[in-house]
Amino acid sequence: MHDDRRLIESRLGRVLGERIVPAIYPESVPLRASMWVAPDEPVPVAEGLAGPRTGVASGDRWGAPWGTSWLTVEGTVPAAWAGKTVEAIIDLGFDRNMTGFQCEGLVYRADGSPVKGLHPRNQWVRVAAPAVGGEEVVLHVEAASNPIIPFFSPTALGDRLTAGGEPQYRLGRMDLAIFDEQVWQLVMDLEVLGELMHEMPEDPARRYDIVRAIERALDAIDLQNVNATAEAARECLAEVLAAPAIASAHTISAVGHAHIDTAWLWPLGETVRKVARTTANMTALLADEPDFIFTMSQAAQYDFLKQHRPEVYERVKKAVSDGRFVPAGGMWVESDTNMPGSEAMARQFVYGKRFFLEEFGIENQEAWLPDTFGFAAGLPQIIKAAGAKWLLTQKISWSSINQFPHHTFLWEGIDGTRIFTHFPPVDTYNCSMQGSEIAHAARNFKDKGRASMSLAPTGWGDGGGGTTREMVAKAARMKNLEGSPKVLWDKPADFFAKAEAEYANTPVWVGELYLELHRATLTSQAKTKQGNRRSEHLLREAELWAATAAVRKNAEYPRADLDRLWKTVLLHQFHDILPGSAIAWVYREAAQTYAAVTQELTEIIERAQWVLGGERAGPNGFNSTPHTWQSVPAGAAAVPEQSGSCSVTARAEGGFVLENGVLRVEIDVRGLVVSVFDLAHQRETLPPESVANLLQLHPDLPNSWDAWDVDRFYRNRVTDLVEVDFLAAGPDSTESAVVRVGRSFGSSKVEQTLSLRAGARGLDIDTGVDWHETEKFLKLAFPLDIHADRYASETQFGHMFRPTHTNTSWEYAKFEACNHRFVHVAEPGWGVALVNDSTYGHDVTRTVRADGGTTTTVRASLVRAPRFPDPETDHGTHTFRHSLIPGASIGDAVCAGYRINLAAPITPTVAEAVAPLFTIDNHAVVTSAVKLADDGSGDVVLRVYEAEGGRASALVTLGFDTSGLQVCDLLERPTESDTPAVLDGSAVRLQLRPFQLVTLRFSRV
């Protein structure tokens, strides 16, 4: 037989595109259209419906960037269409290939009730089935003219203040039309078989069977009258569509989904409407498709609906109660997990799960983070402590160097907690049920022979849209189809339960899940990262002092305010806000939000401190850190002790010498640190002939993903900033010796203050940058005379180790990594910590010198200057604080990290000491939170963790009367725990494993 497969395949493509698809709507009549452009912000629905209209037509331009227009379409169903299925087709000017990234609309009836959303792959609105001739049709569309943000091109469209007023779109087709379901079903038949055929090997008989069935179907179609012959064509395909899959076929759990970025190439306010459009679509689709199940994560997005679109929220609540619309993930947002601090990461789950429990009575057992840019090694314990046990993500498939060896595995965190984890082998969180995607999932699955199932999040995401009726139809055909994986709609929990049950001896991955891409997100948009860090620590202080005031003085605990502020901070930890990868508008608003959060939390703290101390004056310090500070206990207020002296003198070779009896620091005429001598250990910190506090400037133009990526080749060129504008000592102080240095480069300036405080073990460096560079990367380098093959960096509830070498491609890939408050490098018996108040990105490298010694260089990443999606990223002023601490242990690094972020103010509001609510006799056991219970009972909650990586015994002594103790989960519910915690009068003895996290709840008498 002659091989004519290619001929048939080409024929299918043309006939589908030019004859069959257009026949889905065989008859149509135009709709009358009119429009009102709403002023400024989106208006309430009632106002939008009532706005004055001006006539418009297909082809008319509309929509200034970020504007909102209310479109009304009206028409009459022709009498001849009686009994037919009729739909309105409304094309706002869509580009079919940019779902979620352009104009969108939400359709309303005349009474203001929502119908469904419109997007490029979903332009239809069902009017009647069956239709009544003469029926009047009136629909209103809240149309958002969100501009298309061109990828990788600097653009002013990313902020409404700079986007201009030029119309972005032209109205397309606006018709009433007959919907021929038989033709639509034929399209689905042919698309599924054609896509399957292309994915099959050349030789199997099954591929030839499909080719011949398609040939017969195409022969059965009258190209001049497709609608009359569609049923006959479908009959030609019935046999090959009915052939069942083989018993060993891979099974795909399709999860209806719309991964909606809470902000990205649109601001937070637009996400409110994106969620409303998508959920209106999905509740409508659920009503039409009995087998379909839809899943949505991010409690904050449900809250958006509840607050701003209650009419849509009621539909969602009904679908949730029916078990068809499934809340997933149990987090406030799909946050970044590298940079959020310990307590913030915990609160993502607390607020997310609490919302789902209170609103729906549902508790999730899975963490759902398909798009997050890598996962910190402290996360498994947090997931478990929140009452969950599974994790889903997909982003690791984006890694650029190493291919992850598993799709289903146990992920072990720093404390030994293991979480059953799944990476969908479909390699997308926007699966559209294309045959190529489904076949790829089966081929790509790395756990064949041990496991047989995977998950596919199915629906248009990023900018929203969700699952379409076409995806549902394709899934139905692939439910049991020879040559294809089996596809069924599933809930995430049901998939995980089945996957876990079938996979014995699951492989284990230990440590962080590092994404070998998007490393620059640890640095981009420095002000947002500083706002996050500052807010996290202010929240800690506010809860601590408010709880102390409530217990000590019976003051009112500002629970509602703290909840609201926590949710605001958690919202901005979304994985395209905190990482710095959103448009300029997002960061303009974020700066305003963080300023407001700072002001409000500062007021809460000050009110609590006034309550505790009254109005009498005195030089007291409130110690919010978990360690004693200048004799002031943790969580207490008292007069701090001053110890030691300090001096700054001229250096013989030029420059200055700072000394305080603990350290001697030499600074040369260039303002560079040439010696940091640890007097206690009689050891020099810096390698011979090296300089520290060295600012280094690199070119930074990654191959793609400007705000997200830094490529390794950036290191090939570096400019050491050694020229000085000024170098001066002072101002003089009995508390610290100070040297100031100024530099300029390009269009930017840097001013640094190097200070050595009396009795301090570290050199403090405050770096002020007035940054106006483009496509540059600024680092601050500290070479250390330490021989180490690994270093520690803080992560949630502990720290993790990374290699300093590049023996393998896995180590080679980690050329930029995340730390929280410290990086620590050590030889046995002596180490150095670099602590910070707001930076996350860093790199650590090592070289062997000619003298045989090893130089280990730690560099903190300060600012970048990508041009997409915000063309002025980081332009402006920034201030960073670092402290270099020689002779530091891990415990010293932990303590210093808290101290630099929770500087105890000397305040005149207290004249008498304030006793702490808790004292802990082991500095390795660190307080993460002191607060009152979320349920309003007045119980006091203490969360602690072992911070040094060893076993710890600690006595927790209470500073108030208690009637009972419970060991709890993060949601403050009693839990079965293997942690010995026995209350003996006013004390509790704890025995903790390395990095173990424990939440204790005390009832007050």
Side-chain angles (χ1 to χ4, degrees):
M1 179 186 296
H2 296 295
D3 186 354
D4 60 354
R5 287 172 298 171
R6 298 292 178 265
L7 183 68
I8 305 304
E9 291 169 3
S10 297
R11 180 187 179 194
L12 172 62
R14 182 171 187 185
V15 171
L16 256 179
E18 296 185 15
R19 294 291 190 272
I20 304 177
V21 170
I24 292 174
Y25 293 107
E27 296 181 49
S28 63
V29 295
L31 289 161
R32 302 182 303 278
S34 57
M35 182 176 282
W36 173 62
V37 179
D40 299 325
E41 296 296 326
V43 299
V45 172
E47 185 177 344
L49 296 179
R53 300 298 199 266
T54 300
V56 291
S58 296
D60 286 354
R61 299 181 70 196
W62 74 281
W66 305 114
T68 300
S69 300
W70 284 82
L71 173 71
T72 297
V73 293
E74 303 172 87
T76 305
V77 177
W81 292 5
K84 305 288 186 179
T85 297
V86 176
E87 294 182 346
I89 306 169
I90 305 173
D91 179 359
L92 298 176
F94 296 126
D95 178 336
R96 180 174 171 80
N97 296 316
M98 297 197 70
T99 300
F101 294 92
Q102 54 178 299
C103 57
E104 301 172 55
L106 181 56
V107 180
Y108 293 89
R109 298 183 183 90
D111 63 3
S113 59
V115 182
K116 66 187 293 289
L118 297 176
H119 63 73
R121 302 292 182 115
N122 207 329
Q123 302 178 24
W124 57 274
V125 182
R126 180 65 55 88
V127 170
V132 176
E135 180 179 356
E136 295 297 320
V137 176
V138 180
L139 297 171
H140 304 279
V141 182
E142 182 188 22
S145 50
N146 303 332
I148 297 172
I149 305 295
F151 268 73
F152 312 129
S153 297
T155 177
L157 291 172
D159 193 332
R160 66 180 306 166
L161 299 182
T162 59
E166 188 70 16
Q168 300 290 291
Y169 299 100
R170 288 187 184 275
L171 291 171
R173 182 181 183 184
M174 294 181 288
D175 289 343
L176 276 182
I178 294 174
F179 174 74
D180 189 328
E181 184 163 357
Q182 194 69 241
V183 174
W184 182 83
Q185 295 286 2
L186 174 60
V187 171
M188 296 299 100
D189 292 344
L190 289 170
E191 285 189 356
V192 166
L193 289 171
E195 291 165 8
L196 174 62
M197 176 178 63
H198 281 293
E199 295 301 322
M200 295 184 70
E202 294 281 344
D203 299 329
R206 172 65 169 166
R207 177 161 181 163
Y208 288 85
D209 291 343
I210 294 173
V211 168
R212 294 307 158 207
I214 290 174
E215 182 180 35
R216 291 191 296 272
L218 295 177
D219 288 342
I221 294 171
D222 180 348
L223 298 182
Q224 308 308 315
N225 194 354
V226 172
N227 301 86
T229 53
E231 184 174 0
R234 292 196 69 202
E235 290 173 358
C236 297
L237 302 173
E239 185 177 352
V240 289
L241 282 169
I246 60 174
S248 60
H250 185 74
T251 299
I252 293 177
S253 290
V255 175
H257 191 49
H259 166 74
I260 302 178
D261 286 313
T262 299
W264 180 26
L265 303 181
W266 46 87
L268 283 165
E270 184 57 27
T271 306
V272 173
R273 301 198 296 177
K274 284 179 174 287
V275 173
R277 296 174 200 124
T278 297
T279 53
N281 260 343
M282 294 304 95
T283 50
L285 189 60
L286 288 169
D288 293 339
E289 301 289 349
D291 293 333
F292 176 56
I293 296 170
F294 183 75
T295 289
M296 190 171 88
S297 67
Q298 306 191 80
Q301 295 188 358
Y302 290 81
D303 197 42
F304 287 168
L305 289 177
K306 182 179 179 181
Q307 300 300 324
H308 302 285
R309 288 289 193 271
E311 66 282 7
V312 180
Y313 188 59
E314 288 305 311
R315 287 167 50 171
V316 170
K317 287 186 72 173
K318 173 63 166 60
V320 170
S321 68
D322 293 340
R324 307 280 309 287
F325 195 115
V326 182
M331 295 175 68
W332 191 244
V333 294
E334 290 182 12
S335 71
D336 180 81
T337 73
N338 285 311
M339 290 176 283
S342 304
E343 198 60 32
M345 199 73 255
R347 301 299 177 95
Q348 284 287 352
F349 288 91
V350 169
Y351 283 97
K353 296 193 82 171
R354 195 167 78 187
F355 185 93
F356 288 159
L357 281 165
E358 291 174 354
E359 292 292 315
F360 310 122
I362 287 174
E363 180 164 6
N364 303 96
Q365 291 190 294
E366 76 285 338
W368 184 272
L369 293 164
D371 191 29
T372 296
F373 309 152
F375 298 88
L379 187 59
Q381 180 177 204
I382 298 171
I383 293 172
K384 181 179 179 182
K389 60 181 181 178
W390 300 315
L391 168 67
L392 178 133
T393 185
Q394 180 271 325
K395 201 69 169 191
I396 299 297
S397 69
W398 286 40
S399 283
S400 60
I401 297 175
N402 297 284
Q403 191 175 73
F404 199 80
H406 314 293
H407 280 107
T408 304
F409 60 99
L410 294 174
W411 178 30
E412 181 177 319
I414 55 174
D415 73 311
T417 297
R418 292 180 173 181
I419 295 295
F420 188 83
T421 302
H422 181 67
F423 293 167
V426 70
D427 282 349
T428 178
Y429 46 80
N430 294 324
C431 177
S432 60
M433 283 292 136
Q434 293 289 313
S436 56
E437 295 171 331
I438 300 305
H440 174 74
R443 286 194 301 264
N444 188 41
F445 187 55
K446 294 182 175 65
D447 300 280
K448 300 182 188 77
R450 297 183 180 273
S452 64
M453 60 185 65
S454 66
L455 185 146
T458 302
W460 299 111
D462 291 321
T467 317
T468 64
R469 61 184 178 185
E470 288 78 13
M471 297 174 194
V472 176
K474 287 187 172 186
R477 287 159 173 79
M478 292 184 283
K479 184 175 183 179
N480 189 17
L481 180 62
E482 184 183 356
S484 170
K486 301 173 186 176
V487 177
L488 66 144
W489 294 107
D490 224 342
K491 299 177 181 179
D494 291 344
F495 163 77
F496 273 109
K498 291 181 290 187
E500 192 172 28
E502 79 157 354
Y503 202 168
N505 301 316
T506 315
V508 177
W509 182 269
V510 178
E512 68 180 328
L513 294 171
Y514 179 93
L515 177 63
E516 296 171 359
L517 200 71
H518 294 359
R519 302 167 181 88
T521 58
L522 303 173
T523 305
S524 297
Q525 299 289 357
K527 287 187 184 299
T528 295
K529 292 169 171 59
Q530 289 180 318
N532 174 72
R533 178 78 69 85
R534 182 63 177 146
S535 297
E536 288 180 350
H537 288 85
L538 284 171
L539 281 161
R540 172 200 172 88
E541 293 186 79
E543 288 184 336
L544 169 64
W545 299 121
T548 305
V551 173
R552 293 271 179 264
K553 302 291 186 178
N554 201 32
E556 182 179 357
Y557 186 74
R559 179 174 295 99
D561 290 335
L562 289 169
D563 275 359
R564 174 175 47 79
L565 291 164
W566 262 117
K567 289 175 182 177
T568 298
V569 173
L570 298 177
L571 179 69
H572 285 77
Q573 291 179 340
F574 179 75
H575 65 253
D576 274 311
I577 301 178
L578 180 56
S581 47
I583 56 174
W585 191 348
V586 172
Y587 296 107
R588 175 170 57 82
E589 291 187 333
Q592 297 166 352
T593 298
Y594 283 127
V597 167
T598 295
Q599 180 178 345
E600 192 167 355
L601 286 171
T602 300
E603 291 171 355
I604 291 172
I605 293 166
E606 290 176 348
R607 283 199 302 269
Q609 291 176 349
W610 276 99
V611 168
L612 287 165
E615 298 184 7
R616 293 161 294 180
N620 284 35
F622 280 84
N623 180 14
S624 303
T625 77
H627 305 94
T628 298
W629 166 76
Q630 293 184 4
S631 78
V632 181
V639 179
E641 292 181 357
Q642 300 295 325
S643 61
S645 61
C646 53
S647 65
V648 54
T649 58
R651 181 171 174 263
E653 300 90 337
F656 300 95
V657 178
L658 307 178
E659 192 164 357
N660 67 352
V662 180
L663 294 178
R664 183 176 66 247
V665 178
E666 297 186 31
I667 301 166
D668 72 6
V669 293
R670 300 168 297 174
L672 301 174
V673 176
V674 293
S675 174
V676 181
F677 194 78
D678 180 352
L679 294 169
H681 295 88
Q682 290 294 295
R683 173 161 175 169
E684 174 58 52
T685 304
L686 307 186
E689 308 300 324
S690 67
V691 294
N693 186 42
L694 176 64
L695 289 161
Q696 295 185 301
L697 189 66
H698 295 271
D700 182 22
L701 181 65
N703 287 343
S704 59
W705 299 104
D706 292 21
W708 294 257
D709 281 359
V710 56
D711 289 329
R712 191 181 184 92
F713 53 72
Y714 88 93
R715 291 182 176 177
N716 295 347
R717 291 186 59 192
V718 60
T719 301
D720 293 341
L721 304 180
V722 298
E723 300 298 323
V724 296
D725 295 338
F726 67 83
L727 179 67
D732 295 332
S733 168
T734 58
E735 296 179 1
S736 63
V738 175
V739 170
R740 294 181 299 112
V741 58
R743 309 183 193 280
S744 57
F745 56 94
S747 301
S748 304
K749 293 182 179 296
V750 174
E751 292 190 11
Q752 289 184 300
T753 301
L754 289 74
S755 55
L756 193 59
R757 290 175 289 110
R761 296 177 56 187
L763 172 67
D764 294 335
I765 301 170
D766 292 282
T767 304
V769 185
D770 188 6
W771 181 250
H772 298 283
E773 302 307 300
T774 298
E775 294 167 352
K776 298 289 173 62
F777 195 2
L778 186 64
K779 293 257 188 177
L780 182 61
F782 297 89
L784 307 173
D785 191 9
I786 294 179
H787 178 79
D789 61 0
R790 67 176 188 171
Y791 72 96
S793 60
E794 189 182 36
T795 188
Q796 291 100 1
F797 297 113
H799 60 267
M800 60 163 294
F801 291 99
R802 295 187 183 94
T804 59
H805 57 77
T806 55
N807 280 0
T808 71
S809 58
W810 295 89
E811 289 121 11
Y812 175 82
K814 296 181 180 180
F815 58 83
E816 184 80 5
C818 183
N819 65 275
H820 285 187
R821 288 168 290 223
F822 71 80
V823 169
H824 183 263
V825 187
E827 295 173 356
W830 194 84
V832 177
L834 180 66
V835 301
N836 72 83
D837 74 342
S838 60
T839 59
Y840 295 91
H842 71 276
D843 67 86
V844 179
T845 55
R846 67 196 298 269
T847 59
V848 176
R849 306 187 299 269
D851 66 3
T854 301
T855 297
T856 301
T857 301
V858 178
R859 299 198 305 166
S861 303
L862 301 184
V863 285
R864 299 182 66 237
R867 303 182 68 201
F868 174 81
D870 178 0
E872 295 190 358
T873 300
D874 282 333
H875 283 200
T877 58
H878 307 270
T879 301
F880 308 97
R881 169 166 280 196
H882 293 84
S883 186
L884 185 71
I885 307 171
S889 65
I890 286 283
D892 295 329
V894 173
C895 180
Y898 275 102
R899 170 57 48 213
I900 201 171
N901 284 275
L902 290 165
I906 304 301
T907 172
T909 62
V910 181
E912 60 189 32
V914 175
L917 296 182
F918 301 96
T919 58
I920 302 173
D921 70 350
N922 186 340
H923 62 79
V925 177
V926 173
T927 302
S928 176
V930 176
K931 59 189 290 292
L932 296 194
D934 288 342
D935 61 6
S937 63
D939 289 357
V940 182
V941 174
L942 169 68
R943 187 150 34 247
V944 298
Y945 66 101
E946 196 290 316
E948 297 184 14
R951 293 187 180 273
S953 174
L955 186 68
V956 180
T957 303
L958 280 64
F960 59 95
D961 294 331
T962 182
S963 59
L965 160 70
Q966 293 175 325
V967 179
C968 296
D969 65 9
L970 291 178
L971 276 71
E972 302 169 5
R973 303 172 299 191
T975 184
E976 294 184 7
S977 172
D978 59 356
T979 304
V982 178
L983 183 64
D984 183 6
S986 62
V988 179
R989 173 63 66 179
L990 292 177
Q991 303 288 339
L992 299 184
R993 300 186 306 274
F995 301 127
Q996 186 176 3
L997 163 67
V998 176
T999 302
L1000 304 175
R1001 177 171 177 157
F1002 298 90
S1003 302
R1004 289 162 58 196
V1005 174

